[in-house]
Each structure stands twice: as structure tokens, then as C-alpha cells.
Amino acid sequence: MPLKLCSAIFLLLLYVGSVTAADLFQLTVNGQTRSYSSVDELPDFNTMQQQFNVLSKDQWKTEAINFSLNYRGIDLKAAYPSGSNKVTFSIPSLNKNWSYEGASRQGSWSQLTDALVQESDLVNDLLALMVQYTSNDPVAGNPSSLMDNLVRLDFSAVLVDLPLGNALQGGAAGVEAVPMADAEGMAVDESDSSVSSASPEVAGSEENEESSTEIDERENKIGIGLGFSSYDQGDSKVNTTTIPLSYSWNFQGESKPSLTLRLPISQLDVDGNTGIAFGLGLNYRQNLTPNWQISPNLNYGVTASESLGSGGALASYSLLSIYDWTASWGAIRIGNQAGQYRSMPLSVGGTTFDAGIESTVLRNGLIFQFPTGFIRDGATFDPYLLDTRYYGTELYIMQYYEVGFTLSGWVFLSSSLTFNYLVAEEDKAKGTSFLFRAQF
């Protein structure tokens, strides 16, 4: 896979023109254009002679040849001057040029191919352009990317473990805010949901409820989920399937501390071109006051798509604040998150991949909670509004908004089902997603 990934990036050499949903890549040779749907379909030097009839076999060896490539929105060029075996390669947007000369034009092309595998600076120049100019890069710059998945993962605690308490069980309005969530709900992974917070006890004495809660707090929890999103990003249709896994250690104490190990796995599909991403994260969570909790996060993730010719690694740290108010009619929650997300060097097959990303991300949300006792005791309807903004490295999308709702306890009490609609700045992306999560 590593060399194939590098070779895929190499084949960026050839295109110009508009990109359509079915044809992410377009190659032009001396004015003749062909379209391709994936990097795997792009021709090598010998295959180009068969696919493009603008030159005879002998002319391919001696005549001037100009190649242009639109690689998912990035313009790249290569050329042979008349009577020369030297090939020049350029990235116009960076004003950078390279040249290679072998005993034949095929040999020069092979030197260029080797350079694109071995010269990390050249590879990383291309990777940096992908996150800035392409609508569907798997690393960053869009709501289906690895970076965005890490941002959502860090923020996911805001949309679960909502503060149902005495005010929703017949208590008087305006009473002092109750604790937001039992410790078993302290897991930050999107698959984590708390039975006690999403479904407070409605039977038994207050003393028995407290006893039951303390027992639950000592239990460690396994979290699992299944999510799917479908976004129109630029001219591409991007579908993502996500499986967030987690394990939470819930400790005793008034602050209800917990530590969660997270393992998110996702598969990306861009017009039939697939990619995969893995992550590993740690989250710590505790109450500072009965209605205010904080949650620091650490993550590392890797993604790659051979057919898109892109990949890389990211690391991040963030801090999430959650503040709750409860009332007789329901509850309100405010979530605020700030984090640093940056690309990390990833050495594969002698090449170091690093797109040079350094981004500060702010994500803020307002969530409401309404009891839905007609479904079952403890079930709630939780609509929300979210705003996400990126600062630092210029990315294809720097801001987007979301509206949605969560059905907590509707399937069973330790589960939730979230539906979401997203729209990005300048309408660069829009679409829907859902996520089912449960805890055992």
C-alpha cells in the first residue's frame, strides 16, 4: 500500500479542467482530454500512448508534449520540449518547477516517478494543496475528513448524558441545579450514553435512587455505535460509515471522574473511491460543580485512500466545557470546545507524509432537553444547534453549521439516536447524518 499510495500521488502530473461527480480526474495531452474516476485509472507513460491519438508512436519520442492534470481541483503540469528527453514538472499555484532527464523519455518519466516517491517535500506540497483546494480530501478540510471526525468525537459528550434530574420528576421549578450526569455517562465517545442521566429513576425512594446511582457509578462501561453520513461536497457525493468503540473506567467521588479509551473506525466513499481511518484517543471527564463539567481530550488518527491518492496522520488535544440548567419543563445545555489539531509526520516506504496542518478549532453548541414520557419513562427529545470554526492553516472549509436532535432512551434506556443536518460556508458542503450509540 505505501508505494502504491506514493505512486498514486505521482499520477497527479497530468490534468486540467472541471471536475464532475463521476470524473474526479481529467488528463489533457496536447489538447486532447480524457476523464477518470480514480487514481487507479490514470495511465502510465506507455498507456498514454495508446489512449491519446494526438501523436504517432514515433512522435511520442521526439515531438513537444504538454500534459495537464486537474487532480481533484489541483492544477499540475508536465512537458517534454521538442527533440529532448527532459521532462519538466510544475505546480503553478506554488510556482515550483522540477526537471528530470534520462536516456529516453520513458526513462525521464521513471525518474520523475521515483522523485515523487522519494522526495518528501514534493509529496507534502501536494498534500498541503489537497486539504486547501479539494472538497473531498480524507485528511482535512471537509466534514467527512479525519480532522473533522476527531473534532466531533471530542465534542460528543455534549449531545449525551443530558441533565435530567429532580426538576423533571415533579420537583419545583427553579430549584438548585442537579448534577448533570452519573459517572457512568462520563465517557466522551459518541457511543457512550448514560442510563442514569438519560433515564432517571422514577420509582422507589430518593434514598434507593441514590444507592442505585452509586452502584452504577462503580461500573465500567463498553460503548459501541454505528453512524452514517452523506454529504454533497463540491461536485462529489461523500458517504462515511463510522463505528465508534470505547471503554470507560468510572471512578468514585463527588466529582464523578472517568477515563475513557476510544477507538473510532470509519470508511469513506467518494464517488466510489474508498478510504479508511483509524483513531486512538483518551478522555478524562469530571464535574467541577454540580452543573459544570470539563473534559480534556487527546487523539491520534491515521487515514489513507489509495484511489484518491491522499493520506496522513493527525494528533490533537482539546478542552470541552459543559454547563447545564434544569427547570420544570426540561433542561438547557451549553457546550464550548477549543482544540489544537495538527498533522504529524508519517513515514511509509521511505517517504514522510505531512501536510503541514496546524489548526485551532472552536466548536460551540446549544442543546435543549424535553421529557417524552409518552415513549417511556426517562426518554427525552433533545434538539440542538452547533457552530464549528477553523483557524490557522487554510482549509477547503473553514466554518459550518449544524442543526439536529437526539432521541435519548427511545430504543432502550442506555441508548440514543441522533439525526443531524449540516451546511458549510458558501454552500461548499451540505447533507445529513445519523448516529446510534449504546452503552453496556
Side-chain angles (χ1 to χ4, degrees):
M1 182 187 77
L3 292 180
K4 188 174 182 181
L5 179 58
C6 296
S7 298
I9 294 175
F10 147 68
L11 286 170
L12 305 178
L13 312 182
L14 306 147
Y15 292 47
V16 98
S18 60
V19 177
T20 66
D23 299 319
L24 295 174
F25 312 93
Q26 288 189 334
L27 168 63
T28 301
V29 178
N30 280 11
Q32 183 179 354
T33 301
R34 292 178 64 97
S35 298
Y36 306 86
S37 60
S38 74
V39 164
D40 297 331
E41 295 182 1
L42 296 178
D44 58 23
F45 188 79
N46 289 329
T47 305
M48 281 190 289
Q49 298 180 47
Q50 301 171 16
Q51 293 185 354
F52 293 86
N53 57 14
V54 290
L55 297 169
S56 68
K57 186 175 181 179
D58 290 336
Q59 288 175 324
W60 276 92
K61 299 177 182 179
T62 60
E63 294 297 317
I65 308 176
N66 294 301
F67 306 90
S68 297
L69 167 70
N70 184 298
Y71 179 84
R72 294 193 288 124
I74 302 172
D75 291 330
L76 305 169
K77 297 183 182 297
Y80 289 101
S82 177
S84 174
N85 292 331
K86 180 186 291 186
V87 60
T88 59
F89 170 64
S90 64
I91 305 177
S93 59
L94 299 180
N95 196 28
K96 290 187 176 183
N97 301 277
W98 297 261
S99 62
Y100 306 91
E101 185 170 10
S104 65
R105 289 189 169 185
Q106 175 64 62
S108 301
W109 198 264
S110 297
Q111 288 185 22
L112 177 55
T113 303
D114 293 341
L116 285 166
V117 171
Q118 298 168 6
E119 294 182 14
S120 297
D121 290 343
L122 174 54
V123 173
N124 292 330
D125 282 340
L126 296 174
L127 293 176
L129 290 174
M130 292 181 202
V131 301
Q132 182 176 356
Y133 293 111
T134 69
S135 64
N136 43 41
D137 192 78
V139 178
N142 63 82
S144 302
S145 66
L146 173 64
M147 179 184 285
D148 188 79
N149 287 338
L150 295 182
V151 172
R152 292 171 182 273
L153 186 67
D154 290 345
F155 194 79
S156 60
V158 175
L159 302 180
V160 296
D161 309 326
L162 290 163
L164 279 175
N166 292 334
L168 296 181
Q169 300 177 45
V175 299
E176 181 179 353
V178 298
M180 293 171 291
D182 290 333
E184 70 175 87
M186 292 299 170
V188 141
D189 194 335
E190 290 196 350
S191 63
D192 300 340
S193 178
S194 171
V195 175
S196 55
S197 62
S199 54
E201 299 293 332
V202 294
S205 67
E206 180 178 288
E207 181 179 354
N208 288 338
E209 290 180 24
E210 292 176 357
S211 176
S212 173
T213 298
E214 290 301 318
I215 293 175
D216 287 342
E217 286 180 347
R218 299 187 183 99
E219 295 180 357
N220 298 332
K221 294 292 181 179
I222 296 174
I224 189 169
L226 177 63
F228 179 80
S229 64
S230 182
Y231 298 124
D232 294 317
Q233 297 175 192
D235 293 320
S236 295
K237 171 67 72 173
V238 184
N239 298 323
T240 305
T241 302
T242 304
I243 301 176
L245 306 173
S246 69
Y247 188 84
S248 299
W249 292 269
N250 300 300
F251 308 111
Q252 301 182 42
E254 271 188 45
S255 63
K256 301 176 181 176
S258 73
L259 181 67
T260 300
L261 177 68
R262 308 181 300 199
L263 180 64
I265 304 169
S266 60
Q267 182 182 42
L268 179 75
D269 183 290
V270 180
D271 298 325
N273 298 294
T274 60
I276 193 165
F278 297 94
L280 181 65
L282 277 176
N283 160 259
Y284 179 76
R285 188 173 171 191
Q286 75 169 53
N287 287 5
L288 296 182
T289 70
N291 60 342
W292 182 30
Q293 58 183 300
I294 61 169
S295 177
N297 302 277
L298 293 173
N299 296 296
Y300 180 82
V302 177
T303 185
S305 172
E306 297 179 16
S307 56
L308 292 175
S310 183
L314 294 173
S316 69
Y317 59 90
S318 67
L319 182 64
L320 172 65
S321 168
I322 302 174
Y323 197 88
D324 293 320
W325 288 270
T326 58
S328 59
W329 52 264
I332 298 176
R333 165 170 287 185
I334 292 179
N336 305 104
Q337 177 178 295
Q340 284 283 325
Y341 300 79
R342 60 182 59 193
S343 58
M344 301 297 291
L346 179 65
S347 296
V348 182
T351 302
T352 299
F353 297 88
D354 186 351
I357 301 169
E358 293 188 14
S359 295
T360 298
V361 183
L362 302 181
R363 185 167 167 88
N364 301 287
L366 179 64
I367 301 93
F368 300 89
Q369 184 180 36
F370 303 101
T372 53
F374 60 89
I375 298 296
R376 68 168 79 234
D377 291 332
T380 63
F381 171 70
D382 316 319
Y384 60 81
L385 298 168
L386 306 177
D387 176 270
T388 305
R389 304 183 184 217
Y390 289 76
Y391 301 91
T393 299
E394 189 70 23
L395 303 174
Y396 180 75
I397 292 175
M398 300 292 286
Q399 183 176 2
Y400 58 83
Y401 312 94
E402 295 165 272
V403 60
F405 61 87
T406 296
L407 305 177
S408 298
W410 283 43
V411 180
F412 52 90
L413 289 179
S414 58
S415 70
S416 63
L417 183 61
T418 299
F419 295 89
N420 187 83
Y421 178 77
L422 175 148
V423 60
E425 57 179 349
E426 301 176 8
D427 214 28
K428 290 182 177 179
K430 58 184 177 181
T432 59
S433 65
F434 80 86
L435 176 66
F436 175 78
R437 52 206 165 200
Q439 205 176 53
F440 306 94

